Amino acid sequence: ELSELTNYSIWIEALTQNAWDTGAGWGLVLTYAIYMRANEDTALNAFVIGFGNNSMSLLAGIMVLCTVFSVMPVAEAEAMLATSGNEGLTFIWVPQLFQQIPGGQFFQALFFLALVFAAWTSLVAMIEMASRLLMDLGFERGRAIGIVGVAGLLLGIPSALKLEIFQNQDWVWGVALMVSGFFFAFAVLKYGVTRFRETFINQSGSDIQIGPWWDWAMRLVAFEAVFLAAWFLWSARSDDFRETWTLFSPYNVGSVVIQFVIVLIILLLLNKRIASAVQRGQEQPAAE
């Protein structure tokens, strides 16, 4: 229904899901950039990442939705999809699809094996990103990886044990990707969007040359983040105060704001210590 396009959550969920999938706003691409060659084709890599991820996501979504409507009456399928989240469609309905085809168990095993490898490769990038941060603070690589792995395991236990916590954290830090993406876009605008494109993207030897349209796309990204954030906050003005301003209620404004403020306060309190540690970590290799 076209009326759903007036619902802010549709736009935020779409934006944050795409940011989550492609690594935009995470800092994952920056982490990968550490290992890139000086003459790497940035534009081509960005195109392949975006096109490959989004096209596969679209095909997977079509497959799951078609499976749901093929094995259930239309009315029941619509009701189920309207009330279900995004946590179980693949694991519930893909097996039912494979049951309908010859050799389904074999292909189902291959499908979920590929899904496991996809998850692991994403996890490698996430661990590497956090490990690089600790290495900048002066930690050795092995110790940094160990700390990140243990911390990720411990912090993930509540989400693994309770679906509501998982939904809340997925929502809160999905919105954080939008905020983080805004700061990336703002940094580019501050540097000079045209100068950034000509200096870092359109390098000699690139197969794809990005035109001036990219400058306006970056401005649109910054505007989009600000507009959606304002829309998100404005939508809470008429909601029940107790339901809105709770810490671990999924999909509300208060949960996002409260957790953002808590993390921001912690980072501000540790800012000088972190800055000093980063400076020492950068000086140690030079001294060696």
Side-chain angles (χ1 to χ4, degrees), residues 130-148 277-278 280-282 284-285:
S131 299
R132 295 297 309 190
L133 294 176
L134 292 181
M135 291 166 65
D136 288 341
L137 295 176
F139 287 85
E140 295 181 355
R141 182 176 183 83
R143 186 182 178 191
I145 293 175
I147 292 174
V148 172
V278 170
R280 289 195 302 270
Q282 292 176 344
Q284 285 176 359

Side-chain angles (χ1 to χ4, degrees), residues 67-276:
T67 301
V68 173
F69 282 99
S70 66
V71 300
M72 293 181 66
V74 174
E76 294 182 16
E78 290 178 347
M80 189 278 297
L81 292 173
T83 57
S84 64
N86 60 355
E87 296 84 18
L89 290 178
T90 299
F91 298 99
I92 294 173
W93 295 104
V94 168
Q96 295 196 35
L97 171 64
F98 283 113
Q99 288 178 6
Q100 309 298 321
I101 63 176
Q105 289 186 342
F106 173 75
F107 290 108
Q108 177 177 310
L110 289 181
F111 174 83
F112 283 106
L113 181 62
L115 197 63
V116 168
F117 278 109
W120 273 108
T121 53
S122 298
L123 185 61
V124 167
M126 297 176 195
I127 292 177
E128 177 65 14
M129 178 186 67
S131 299
R132 295 297 309 190
L133 294 176
L134 292 181
M135 291 166 65
D136 288 341
L137 295 176
F139 287 85
E140 295 181 355
R141 182 176 183 83
R143 186 182 178 191
I145 293 175
I147 292 174
V148 172
V150 172
L153 176 63
L154 295 178
L155 294 175
I157 289 176
S159 295
L161 295 178
K162 193 170 184 179
L163 182 60
E164 290 77 9
I165 295 178
F166 172 81
Q167 291 173 332
N168 172 266
Q169 294 300 287
D170 182 60
W171 167 250
V172 170
W173 301 112
V175 174
L177 291 181
M178 181 179 70
V179 178
S180 178
F182 165 77
F183 283 113
F184 276 106
F186 178 78
V188 173
L189 295 175
K190 187 72 174 177
Y191 179 83
V193 62
T194 302
R195 183 158 65 105
F196 185 92
R197 172 172 56 86
E198 294 175 348
T199 303
F200 298 108
I201 299 179
N202 289 340
Q203 299 180 355
S204 60
S206 296
D207 294 326
I208 299 178
Q209 294 292 315
I210 303 299
W213 61 267
W214 186 85
D215 303 355
W216 291 101
M218 290 303 300
R219 297 183 180 100
L220 177 61
V221 168
F223 170 78
E224 183 180 27
V226 173
F227 178 79
L228 286 177
W231 191 6
F232 181 38
L233 295 173
W234 178 256
S235 67
R237 72 192 189 284
S238 59
D239 293 343
D240 181 80
F241 183 85
R242 290 185 178 180
E243 292 183 359
T244 300
W245 297 97
T246 54
L247 183 57
F248 287 114
S249 177
Y251 312 123
N252 65 16
V253 175
S255 182
V256 174
V257 174
I258 292 172
Q259 293 186 54
F260 278 17
V261 170
I262 292 174
V263 172
L264 183 61
I265 291 174
I266 293 174
L267 291 176
L268 288 175
L269 292 175
L270 297 176
N271 182 55
K272 290 185 178 180
R273 182 174 298 180
I274 293 174
S276 299

